[in-house]
Amino acid sequence: MKRVSADEFLARPEVPALIAEYANESSIGGLPAPAPNADLYRAMYASGTMHPLVAFDGEVMVGFAVLIVYRNPHYGVLMGVLESLFVGGEYRSGGAGLQLLKVAETFAAGVGAVGIFVSAPDESRLAQVMDAKRSYTLTNRAYFKPFTEGQP
């Protein structure tokens, strides 16, 4: 488990397959298929807002998390948001997901965040794991409404 630069993340040969598997399991209806925007990754990384985290099995990248750290305008405090957390299906029994979560928590705390939000697709395995973790509290339910041709 380690934090990498945006360029290191984007250059990994495993990323396309992991993103495709992530899209298959975690896509949100009404949004296009996930397709990392390299320029946005680089800009957010350079600004200190986005932090790619990766999990390895030997030399093979088997999972990733994208941590966003920002100052919340309502509370005035630094907060972490785990924008994505994904481990390839064949590697999930080894605890890589929980290790990525722990790395995200530790990094967010280390830069001064007061806490971390984690979102999970409804009824997903991640949602079940988060429901079972006593150190997390279910705070919100998120809803999405797609617009057709820019119209609500």
Side-chain angles (χ1 to χ4, degrees):
M1 306 300 145
K2 69 177 185 174
R3 178 176 173 255
V4 297
S5 72
D7 284 328
E8 289 172 303
F9 177 79
L10 295 165
R12 292 296 309 188
E14 303 90 347
V15 167
L18 284 170
I19 293 291
E21 190 176 353
Y22 168 80
N24 187 50
E25 292 184 20
S26 304
S27 63
I28 297 170
L31 287 178
N37 179 315
D39 291 337
L40 186 56
Y41 266 66
R42 289 181 187 107
M44 291 179 72
Y45 179 80
S47 74
T49 305
M50 186 184 76
H51 308 277
L53 310 168
V54 295
F56 290 96
D57 180 16
E59 296 296 314
V60 178
M61 182 178 148
V62 299
F64 64 90
V66 175
L67 175 66
I68 307 293
V69 179
Y70 74 104
R71 186 159 307 278
N72 182 285
H74 300 298
Y75 295 97
V77 296
L78 206 59
M79 298 174 77
V81 176
L82 200 55
E83 188 279 327
S84 54
L85 172 63
F86 186 78
V87 175
E90 66 184 276
Y91 296 97
R92 291 186 186 151
S93 63
L98 290 175
Q99 290 175 23
L100 279 168
L101 179 59
K102 185 65 176 167
V103 169
E105 291 170 349
T106 300
F107 184 84
V111 297
V114 299
I116 187 169
F117 283 103
V118 178
S119 66
D122 198 29
E123 299 183 22
S124 68
R125 182 173 176 187
L126 178 57
Q128 294 169 2
V129 168
M130 296 309 297
D131 285 344
K133 291 188 73 58
R134 298 194 190 282
S135 59
Y136 280 81
T137 302
L138 179 61
T139 60
N140 299 305
R141 293 180 73 174
Y143 298 89
F144 176 75
K145 177 183 178 180
F147 298 146
T148 303
E149 297 180 20
Q151 299 297 313

